[in-house]
Amino acid sequence: DDMFELLNMANRLTDDSFSLLDNLLKWAKSQTGRLNTVFQDNVDLMNMITGVVEVQRGVASLKNVRLNLLGSTGRSARIDIDMAKTSLRNLISNAIKFSYENSEIDVGIEEQDDRVLIYVRDYGTGISEDNQEKLFKPDSHFTSFGTDNEEGSGLGLLLCNEFVMRNGGTLRFTSKEGAGSTFTFDIPTIAKNE
């Protein structure tokens, strides 16, 4: 049991360290104008979303959090796939961070006209009204501890916001302190696969 707990802790620390370093590198490149948007044609959105969710399920399981994938799409998009994956990964990571043990997170997909909406909903701590106003502002940068004392850099949401915009979408959220948060972003689609 002790060895299992140590391995779980090592796994979580490795994942947290990777996410932090990846975010710091991308943020630095973004701030120095060296981060290029590289669009790929005909990106299968369902495949991309499923891949990110499957990797994050392992992280969520360390906290006994169930990650649900709701909905589907057959649409493709012209996007920077790395930026889209980073955005979704950061949103799910945040949801795990602020979720209570033995809870659930919903990752949902909805088709709307020429866009696909992707949302990440948790039922955790939520965000205070004061902090909601600071979320996407680099000058009021802040970070807070998760339900298991996880610490972040505070850069994840700033990166998400920039990456979603670079892909032609918008990042929105709703949150209630003590009841959880829902973050939603949209991706313009180029065609509907039959």
Short mmCIF file of all heavy atoms in Angstrom, two decimals, residues 65-120:
data_model
loop_
_atom_site.label_atom_id
_atom_site.label_comp_id
_atom_site.label_asym_id
_atom_site.label_seq_id
_atom_site.Cartn_x
_atom_site.Cartn_y
_atom_site.Cartn_z
N VAL A 65 -11.37 10.82 -9.24
CA VAL A 65 -12.32 11.66 -9.96
C VAL A 65 -12.65 10.97 -11.28
O VAL A 65 -11.74 10.53 -12.00
CB VAL A 65 -11.73 13.07 -10.22
CG1 VAL A 65 -12.63 13.88 -11.13
CG2 VAL A 65 -11.50 13.80 -8.90
N ARG A 66 -13.94 10.87 -11.58
CA ARG A 66 -14.36 10.24 -12.84
C ARG A 66 -14.51 11.29 -13.93
O ARG A 66 -15.16 12.31 -13.71
CB ARG A 66 -15.67 9.49 -12.64
CG ARG A 66 -15.95 8.55 -13.82
CD ARG A 66 -17.04 7.59 -13.50
NE ARG A 66 -18.32 8.17 -13.91
CZ ARG A 66 -19.49 7.67 -13.60
NH1 ARG A 66 -19.57 6.60 -12.85
NH2 ARG A 66 -20.59 8.23 -14.01
N LEU A 67 -13.91 11.03 -15.07
CA LEU A 67 -13.95 11.95 -16.20
C LEU A 67 -14.91 11.39 -17.25
O LEU A 67 -14.68 10.32 -17.81
CB LEU A 67 -12.53 12.08 -16.77
CG LEU A 67 -12.15 13.26 -17.61
CD1 LEU A 67 -12.53 14.58 -16.97
CD2 LEU A 67 -10.66 13.26 -17.89
N ASN A 68 -16.03 12.11 -17.47
CA ASN A 68 -17.05 11.67 -18.42
C ASN A 68 -16.91 12.42 -19.73
O ASN A 68 -16.74 13.64 -19.73
CB ASN A 68 -18.45 11.95 -17.85
CG ASN A 68 -18.66 11.32 -16.50
OD1 ASN A 68 -18.36 10.15 -16.29
ND2 ASN A 68 -19.15 12.11 -15.55
N LEU A 69 -17.02 11.72 -20.85
CA LEU A 69 -17.03 12.35 -22.17
C LEU A 69 -18.46 12.28 -22.70
O LEU A 69 -18.99 11.19 -22.92
CB LEU A 69 -16.05 11.66 -23.12
CG LEU A 69 -15.93 12.25 -24.52
CD1 LEU A 69 -15.53 13.73 -24.48
CD2 LEU A 69 -14.92 11.46 -25.35
N LEU A 70 -19.08 13.44 -22.89
CA LEU A 70 -20.48 13.52 -23.30
C LEU A 70 -20.58 14.13 -24.69
O LEU A 70 -19.99 15.17 -24.96
CB LEU A 70 -21.26 14.39 -22.30
CG LEU A 70 -21.08 14.05 -20.81
CD1 LEU A 70 -21.78 15.08 -19.94
CD2 LEU A 70 -21.60 12.65 -20.51
N GLY A 71 -21.37 13.50 -25.54
CA GLY A 71 -21.58 14.02 -26.89
C GLY A 71 -20.48 13.57 -27.84
O GLY A 71 -19.52 12.91 -27.47
N SER A 72 -20.67 13.95 -29.11
CA SER A 72 -19.68 13.59 -30.13
C SER A 72 -19.83 14.53 -31.33
O SER A 72 -20.80 15.29 -31.42
CB SER A 72 -19.86 12.14 -30.58
OG SER A 72 -21.12 11.99 -31.23
N THR A 73 -18.86 14.45 -32.22
CA THR A 73 -18.92 15.24 -33.45
C THR A 73 -18.19 14.49 -34.55
O THR A 73 -17.23 13.77 -34.28
CB THR A 73 -18.32 16.65 -33.26
OG1 THR A 73 -18.47 17.37 -34.47
CG2 THR A 73 -16.83 16.59 -32.89
N GLY A 74 -18.65 14.69 -35.77
CA GLY A 74 -17.96 14.13 -36.93
C GLY A 74 -17.27 15.22 -37.73
O GLY A 74 -16.83 15.00 -38.85
N ARG A 75 -17.18 16.40 -37.14
CA ARG A 75 -16.65 17.55 -37.87
C ARG A 75 -15.13 17.66 -37.79
O ARG A 75 -14.50 17.17 -36.86
CB ARG A 75 -17.28 18.83 -37.36
CG ARG A 75 -18.77 18.90 -37.62
CD ARG A 75 -19.32 20.25 -37.26
NE ARG A 75 -20.78 20.24 -37.32
CZ ARG A 75 -21.52 21.29 -37.03
NH1 ARG A 75 -20.96 22.42 -36.65
NH2 ARG A 75 -22.83 21.21 -37.10
N SER A 76 -14.59 18.35 -38.78
CA SER A 76 -13.16 18.65 -38.84
C SER A 76 -12.96 20.14 -38.77
O SER A 76 -13.88 20.93 -38.97
CB SER A 76 -12.56 18.11 -40.14
OG SER A 76 -12.72 16.71 -40.22
N ALA A 77 -11.70 20.54 -38.50
CA ALA A 77 -11.40 21.97 -38.39
C ALA A 77 -9.99 22.25 -38.89
O ALA A 77 -9.15 21.35 -38.96
CB ALA A 77 -11.53 22.43 -36.94
N ARG A 78 -9.76 23.50 -39.22
CA ARG A 78 -8.41 23.97 -39.57
C ARG A 78 -7.89 24.74 -38.36
O ARG A 78 -8.27 25.88 -38.14
CB ARG A 78 -8.44 24.86 -40.80
CG ARG A 78 -7.07 25.32 -41.23
CD ARG A 78 -7.14 26.17 -42.51
NE ARG A 78 -5.80 26.49 -42.97
CZ ARG A 78 -5.10 27.55 -42.56
NH1 ARG A 78 -5.63 28.40 -41.69
NH2 ARG A 78 -3.87 27.75 -43.01
N ILE A 79 -7.05 24.07 -37.56
CA ILE A 79 -6.59 24.66 -36.29
C ILE A 79 -5.13 24.31 -36.05
O ILE A 79 -4.57 23.43 -36.72
CB ILE A 79 -7.42 24.13 -35.09
CG1 ILE A 79 -7.42 22.60 -35.06
CG2 ILE A 79 -8.82 24.70 -35.09
CD1 ILE A 79 -8.05 21.99 -33.82
N ASP A 80 -4.54 24.99 -35.08
CA ASP A 80 -3.25 24.58 -34.53
C ASP A 80 -3.58 23.52 -33.48
O ASP A 80 -4.08 23.84 -32.40
CB ASP A 80 -2.53 25.78 -33.90
CG ASP A 80 -1.16 25.42 -33.36
OD1 ASP A 80 -1.05 24.39 -32.65
OD2 ASP A 80 -0.20 26.18 -33.61
N ILE A 81 -3.34 22.27 -33.82
CA ILE A 81 -3.77 21.17 -32.97
C ILE A 81 -3.07 21.18 -31.61
O ILE A 81 -3.66 20.84 -30.58
CB ILE A 81 -3.61 19.81 -33.69
CG1 ILE A 81 -4.35 18.71 -32.93
CG2 ILE A 81 -2.15 19.46 -33.90
CD1 ILE A 81 -4.51 17.42 -33.70
N ASP A 82 -1.80 21.60 -31.57
CA ASP A 82 -1.08 21.64 -30.30
C ASP A 82 -1.71 22.66 -29.37
O ASP A 82 -1.87 22.40 -28.17
CB ASP A 82 0.40 21.98 -30.54
CG ASP A 82 1.21 21.92 -29.26
OD1 ASP A 82 1.10 20.91 -28.53
OD2 ASP A 82 1.94 22.89 -28.96
N MET A 83 -2.09 23.82 -29.91
CA MET A 83 -2.74 24.85 -29.08
C MET A 83 -4.10 24.37 -28.58
O MET A 83 -4.47 24.61 -27.42
CB MET A 83 -2.88 26.15 -29.84
CG MET A 83 -1.57 26.87 -30.07
SD MET A 83 -1.82 28.47 -30.85
CE MET A 83 -0.13 29.05 -30.95
N ALA A 84 -4.85 23.70 -29.45
CA ALA A 84 -6.18 23.20 -29.05
C ALA A 84 -6.05 22.14 -27.96
O ALA A 84 -6.78 22.14 -26.97
CB ALA A 84 -6.92 22.65 -30.26
N LYS A 85 -5.08 21.23 -28.12
CA LYS A 85 -4.87 20.19 -27.11
C LYS A 85 -4.42 20.79 -25.78
O LYS A 85 -4.87 20.37 -24.72
CB LYS A 85 -3.80 19.19 -27.60
CG LYS A 85 -4.29 18.19 -28.62
CD LYS A 85 -3.14 17.27 -28.97
CE LYS A 85 -3.59 16.13 -29.85
NZ LYS A 85 -2.47 15.22 -30.18
N THR A 86 -3.51 21.76 -25.86
CA THR A 86 -3.03 22.41 -24.63
C THR A 86 -4.18 23.09 -23.91
O THR A 86 -4.29 23.02 -22.68
CB THR A 86 -1.91 23.43 -24.96
OG1 THR A 86 -0.81 22.74 -25.54
CG2 THR A 86 -1.44 24.17 -23.71
N SER A 87 -5.06 23.75 -24.66
CA SER A 87 -6.21 24.43 -24.05
C SER A 87 -7.10 23.44 -23.32
O SER A 87 -7.45 23.64 -22.15
CB SER A 87 -7.02 25.17 -25.12
OG SER A 87 -6.24 26.16 -25.74
N LEU A 88 -7.46 22.36 -24.00
CA LEU A 88 -8.34 21.36 -23.39
C LEU A 88 -7.65 20.69 -22.20
O LEU A 88 -8.26 20.50 -21.15
CB LEU A 88 -8.76 20.32 -24.43
CG LEU A 88 -9.75 19.26 -23.95
CD1 LEU A 88 -11.00 19.88 -23.35
CD2 LEU A 88 -10.11 18.31 -25.10
N ARG A 89 -6.38 20.34 -22.35
CA ARG A 89 -5.64 19.70 -21.26
C ARG A 89 -5.60 20.60 -20.02
O ARG A 89 -5.81 20.15 -18.90
CB ARG A 89 -4.21 19.36 -21.71
CG ARG A 89 -3.45 18.57 -20.65
CD ARG A 89 -2.00 18.35 -21.03
NE ARG A 89 -1.26 19.59 -20.85
CZ ARG A 89 -0.42 20.12 -21.74
NH1 ARG A 89 -0.21 19.51 -22.89
NH2 ARG A 89 0.21 21.24 -21.49
N ASN A 90 -5.32 21.90 -20.23
CA ASN A 90 -5.25 22.82 -19.09
C ASN A 90 -6.61 22.97 -18.40
O ASN A 90 -6.68 23.05 -17.17
CB ASN A 90 -4.74 24.19 -19.53
CG ASN A 90 -3.23 24.23 -19.67
OD1 ASN A 90 -2.51 23.39 -19.15
ND2 ASN A 90 -2.73 25.22 -20.38
N LEU A 91 -7.68 23.01 -19.19
CA LEU A 91 -9.00 23.14 -18.58
C LEU A 91 -9.37 21.90 -17.77
O LEU A 91 -9.92 22.01 -16.67
CB LEU A 91 -10.06 23.40 -19.66
CG LEU A 91 -9.97 24.75 -20.38
CD1 LEU A 91 -11.04 24.85 -21.46
CD2 LEU A 91 -10.09 25.91 -19.40
N ILE A 92 -9.04 20.72 -18.30
CA ILE A 92 -9.32 19.50 -17.55
C ILE A 92 -8.43 19.41 -16.31
O ILE A 92 -8.88 19.03 -15.23
CB ILE A 92 -9.15 18.25 -18.45
CG1 ILE A 92 -10.19 18.27 -19.59
CG2 ILE A 92 -9.29 16.97 -17.62
CD1 ILE A 92 -10.00 17.17 -20.63
N SER A 93 -7.16 19.79 -16.45
CA SER A 93 -6.24 19.77 -15.30
C SER A 93 -6.75 20.68 -14.19
O SER A 93 -6.71 20.31 -13.01
CB SER A 93 -4.84 20.23 -15.72
OG SER A 93 -4.23 19.27 -16.53
N ASN A 94 -7.23 21.86 -14.56
CA ASN A 94 -7.79 22.78 -13.56
C ASN A 94 -9.02 22.17 -12.89
O ASN A 94 -9.21 22.29 -11.68
CB ASN A 94 -8.18 24.12 -14.20
CG ASN A 94 -7.01 25.07 -14.27
OD1 ASN A 94 -5.93 24.79 -13.80
ND2 ASN A 94 -7.24 26.22 -14.86
N ALA A 95 -9.88 21.53 -13.70
CA ALA A 95 -11.08 20.92 -13.15
C ALA A 95 -10.71 19.83 -12.15
O ALA A 95 -11.33 19.72 -11.08
CB ALA A 95 -11.94 20.35 -14.28
N ILE A 96 -9.68 19.04 -12.47
CA ILE A 96 -9.23 18.00 -11.54
C ILE A 96 -8.69 18.65 -10.27
O ILE A 96 -9.01 18.22 -9.15
CB ILE A 96 -8.15 17.11 -12.21
CG1 ILE A 96 -8.75 16.33 -13.38
CG2 ILE A 96 -7.53 16.17 -11.17
CD1 ILE A 96 -7.72 15.64 -14.27
N LYS A 97 -7.90 19.68 -10.46
CA LYS A 97 -7.27 20.37 -9.32
C LYS A 97 -8.30 20.88 -8.32
O LYS A 97 -8.11 20.78 -7.11
CB LYS A 97 -6.42 21.53 -9.86
CG LYS A 97 -5.75 22.40 -8.81
CD LYS A 97 -4.94 23.51 -9.50
CE LYS A 97 -4.41 24.52 -8.52
NZ LYS A 97 -3.68 25.61 -9.18
N PHE A 98 -9.40 21.42 -8.82
CA PHE A 98 -10.39 22.04 -7.94
C PHE A 98 -11.60 21.15 -7.66
O PHE A 98 -12.60 21.60 -7.11
CB PHE A 98 -10.83 23.39 -8.50
CG PHE A 98 -9.69 24.39 -8.51
CD1 PHE A 98 -9.10 24.76 -9.70
CD2 PHE A 98 -9.21 24.91 -7.32
CE1 PHE A 98 -8.03 25.66 -9.70
CE2 PHE A 98 -8.15 25.81 -7.31
CZ PHE A 98 -7.56 26.18 -8.51
N SER A 99 -11.49 19.86 -8.05
CA SER A 99 -12.55 18.89 -7.74
C SER A 99 -12.24 18.17 -6.44
O SER A 99 -11.08 18.00 -6.07
CB SER A 99 -12.66 17.85 -8.86
OG SER A 99 -13.27 18.39 -10.00
N TYR A 100 -13.30 17.75 -5.78
CA TYR A 100 -13.14 16.97 -4.56
C TYR A 100 -12.94 15.50 -4.92
O TYR A 100 -13.36 15.04 -5.98
CB TYR A 100 -14.37 17.12 -3.66
CG TYR A 100 -14.59 18.55 -3.22
CD1 TYR A 100 -15.61 19.31 -3.79
CD2 TYR A 100 -13.76 19.13 -2.27
CE1 TYR A 100 -15.81 20.63 -3.41
CE2 TYR A 100 -13.95 20.45 -1.88
CZ TYR A 100 -14.97 21.20 -2.45
OH TYR A 100 -15.15 22.50 -2.08
N GLU A 101 -12.30 14.78 -4.03
CA GLU A 101 -12.10 13.36 -4.25
C GLU A 101 -13.46 12.68 -4.40
O GLU A 101 -14.44 13.10 -3.80
CB GLU A 101 -11.34 12.76 -3.06
CG GLU A 101 -10.50 11.57 -3.46
CD GLU A 101 -9.53 11.14 -2.37
OE1 GLU A 101 -8.89 12.03 -1.76
OE2 GLU A 101 -9.46 9.93 -2.13
N ASN A 102 -13.51 11.66 -5.24
CA ASN A 102 -14.73 10.88 -5.51
C ASN A 102 -15.83 11.70 -6.18
O ASN A 102 -17.01 11.44 -5.96
CB ASN A 102 -15.27 10.25 -4.21
CG ASN A 102 -14.26 9.32 -3.58
OD1 ASN A 102 -13.68 8.48 -4.25
ND2 ASN A 102 -14.02 9.50 -2.29
N SER A 103 -15.45 12.70 -6.97
CA SER A 103 -16.46 13.48 -7.71
C SER A 103 -16.31 13.19 -9.21
O SER A 103 -15.59 12.27 -9.61
CB SER A 103 -16.32 14.96 -7.41
OG SER A 103 -15.06 15.44 -7.84
N GLU A 104 -17.00 13.98 -10.03
CA GLU A 104 -16.98 13.77 -11.48
C GLU A 104 -16.69 15.07 -12.20
O GLU A 104 -16.92 16.17 -11.68
CB GLU A 104 -18.34 13.23 -11.96
CG GLU A 104 -18.69 11.89 -11.37
CD GLU A 104 -19.95 11.29 -12.00
OE1 GLU A 104 -20.46 11.86 -12.99
OE2 GLU A 104 -20.41 10.27 -11.49
N ILE A 105 -16.19 14.93 -13.42
CA ILE A 105 -15.98 16.06 -14.33
C ILE A 105 -16.59 15.66 -15.67
O ILE A 105 -16.38 14.54 -16.14
CB ILE A 105 -14.47 16.36 -14.51
CG1 ILE A 105 -13.86 16.83 -13.20
CG2 ILE A 105 -14.26 17.40 -15.61
CD1 ILE A 105 -12.34 16.89 -13.21
N ASP A 106 -17.35 16.56 -16.25
CA ASP A 106 -17.95 16.32 -17.57
C ASP A 106 -17.20 17.11 -18.63
O ASP A 106 -17.00 18.32 -18.50
CB ASP A 106 -19.42 16.75 -17.58
CG ASP A 106 -20.26 15.95 -16.60
OD1 ASP A 106 -19.95 14.75 -16.40
OD2 ASP A 106 -21.22 16.51 -16.04
N VAL A 107 -16.77 16.41 -19.68
CA VAL A 107 -16.23 17.06 -20.87
C VAL A 107 -17.27 16.85 -21.96
O VAL A 107 -17.55 15.71 -22.33
CB VAL A 107 -14.86 16.47 -21.29
CG1 VAL A 107 -14.36 17.14 -22.57
CG2 VAL A 107 -13.84 16.62 -20.16
N GLY A 108 -17.88 17.93 -22.41
CA GLY A 108 -18.99 17.82 -23.35
C GLY A 108 -18.67 18.42 -24.71
O GLY A 108 -17.86 19.34 -24.83
N ILE A 109 -19.34 17.89 -25.72
CA ILE A 109 -19.17 18.35 -27.10
C ILE A 109 -20.55 18.65 -27.67
O ILE A 109 -21.46 17.83 -27.56
CB ILE A 109 -18.52 17.25 -27.96
CG1 ILE A 109 -17.18 16.81 -27.34
CG2 ILE A 109 -18.33 17.72 -29.39
CD1 ILE A 109 -16.72 15.46 -27.83
N GLU A 110 -20.71 19.85 -28.23
CA GLU A 110 -21.97 20.23 -28.86
C GLU A 110 -21.69 20.88 -30.21
O GLU A 110 -20.80 21.73 -30.32
CB GLU A 110 -22.73 21.23 -27.97
CG GLU A 110 -23.16 20.67 -26.62
CD GLU A 110 -23.80 21.72 -25.73
OE1 GLU A 110 -23.98 22.87 -26.19
OE2 GLU A 110 -24.10 21.39 -24.57
N GLU A 111 -22.46 20.50 -31.21
CA GLU A 111 -22.33 21.12 -32.54
C GLU A 111 -23.30 22.29 -32.65
O GLU A 111 -24.45 22.17 -32.25
CB GLU A 111 -22.61 20.10 -33.63
CG GLU A 111 -21.59 18.99 -33.71
CD GLU A 111 -21.87 18.01 -34.83
OE1 GLU A 111 -22.99 18.02 -35.40
OE2 GLU A 111 -20.96 17.20 -35.15
N GLN A 112 -22.81 23.41 -33.17
CA GLN A 112 -23.65 24.59 -33.39
C GLN A 112 -23.25 25.23 -34.72
O GLN A 112 -22.12 25.71 -34.85
CB GLN A 112 -23.46 25.62 -32.28
CG GLN A 112 -24.13 25.26 -30.99
CD GLN A 112 -24.12 26.41 -30.00
OE1 GLN A 112 -23.47 27.42 -30.21
NE2 GLN A 112 -24.84 26.26 -28.91
N ASP A 113 -24.16 25.26 -35.66
CA ASP A 113 -23.91 25.88 -36.97
C ASP A 113 -22.52 25.51 -37.49
O ASP A 113 -22.26 24.37 -37.77
CB ASP A 113 -24.09 27.41 -36.89
CG ASP A 113 -25.52 27.78 -36.49
OD1 ASP A 113 -26.45 27.04 -36.87
OD2 ASP A 113 -25.71 28.80 -35.80
N ASP A 114 -21.62 26.51 -37.57
CA ASP A 114 -20.29 26.26 -38.14
C ASP A 114 -19.23 26.14 -37.05
O ASP A 114 -18.06 26.40 -37.27
CB ASP A 114 -19.91 27.37 -39.12
CG ASP A 114 -19.89 28.74 -38.44
OD1 ASP A 114 -20.38 28.86 -37.31
OD2 ASP A 114 -19.35 29.68 -39.05
N ARG A 115 -19.65 25.73 -35.84
CA ARG A 115 -18.72 25.63 -34.72
C ARG A 115 -19.00 24.38 -33.90
O ARG A 115 -20.11 23.86 -33.90
CB ARG A 115 -18.84 26.84 -33.80
CG ARG A 115 -18.47 28.11 -34.48
CD ARG A 115 -18.53 29.34 -33.61
NE ARG A 115 -17.96 30.43 -34.39
CZ ARG A 115 -16.69 30.79 -34.35
NH1 ARG A 115 -15.87 30.18 -33.56
NH2 ARG A 115 -16.24 31.76 -35.11
N VAL A 116 -17.98 23.95 -33.18
CA VAL A 116 -18.14 22.90 -32.18
C VAL A 116 -17.79 23.51 -30.84
O VAL A 116 -16.75 24.15 -30.69
CB VAL A 116 -17.24 21.68 -32.49
CG1 VAL A 116 -17.18 20.74 -31.30
CG2 VAL A 116 -17.75 20.93 -33.70
N LEU A 117 -18.69 23.36 -29.88
CA LEU A 117 -18.45 23.84 -28.51
C LEU A 117 -17.91 22.68 -27.68
O LEU A 117 -18.43 21.57 -27.75
CB LEU A 117 -19.73 24.34 -27.86
CG LEU A 117 -20.45 25.53 -28.48
CD1 LEU A 117 -21.67 25.88 -27.65
CD2 LEU A 117 -19.53 26.73 -28.58
N ILE A 118 -16.87 22.98 -26.90
CA ILE A 118 -16.31 21.99 -25.98
C ILE A 118 -16.37 22.60 -24.59
O ILE A 118 -15.92 23.73 -24.39
CB ILE A 118 -14.85 21.67 -26.35
CG1 ILE A 118 -14.76 21.15 -27.79
CG2 ILE A 118 -14.27 20.64 -25.37
CD1 ILE A 118 -13.36 21.13 -28.35
N TYR A 119 -16.97 21.89 -23.65
CA TYR A 119 -17.02 22.43 -22.30
C TYR A 119 -16.44 21.43 -21.30
O TYR A 119 -16.43 20.22 -21.53
CB TYR A 119 -18.44 22.82 -21.89
CG TYR A 119 -19.44 21.69 -21.76
CD1 TYR A 119 -19.52 20.96 -20.57
CD2 TYR A 119 -20.30 21.37 -22.80
CE1 TYR A 119 -20.43 19.92 -20.44
CE2 TYR A 119 -21.21 20.32 -22.67
CZ TYR A 119 -21.27 19.61 -21.49
OH TYR A 119 -22.16 18.58 -21.36
N VAL A 120 -15.90 22.00 -20.21
CA VAL A 120 -15.36 21.21 -19.11
C VAL A 120 -16.07 21.69 -17.85
O VAL A 120 -15.93 22.85 -17.46
CB VAL A 120 -13.83 21.38 -18.97
CG1 VAL A 120 -13.31 20.58 -17.78
CG2 VAL A 120 -13.12 20.96 -20.26
#
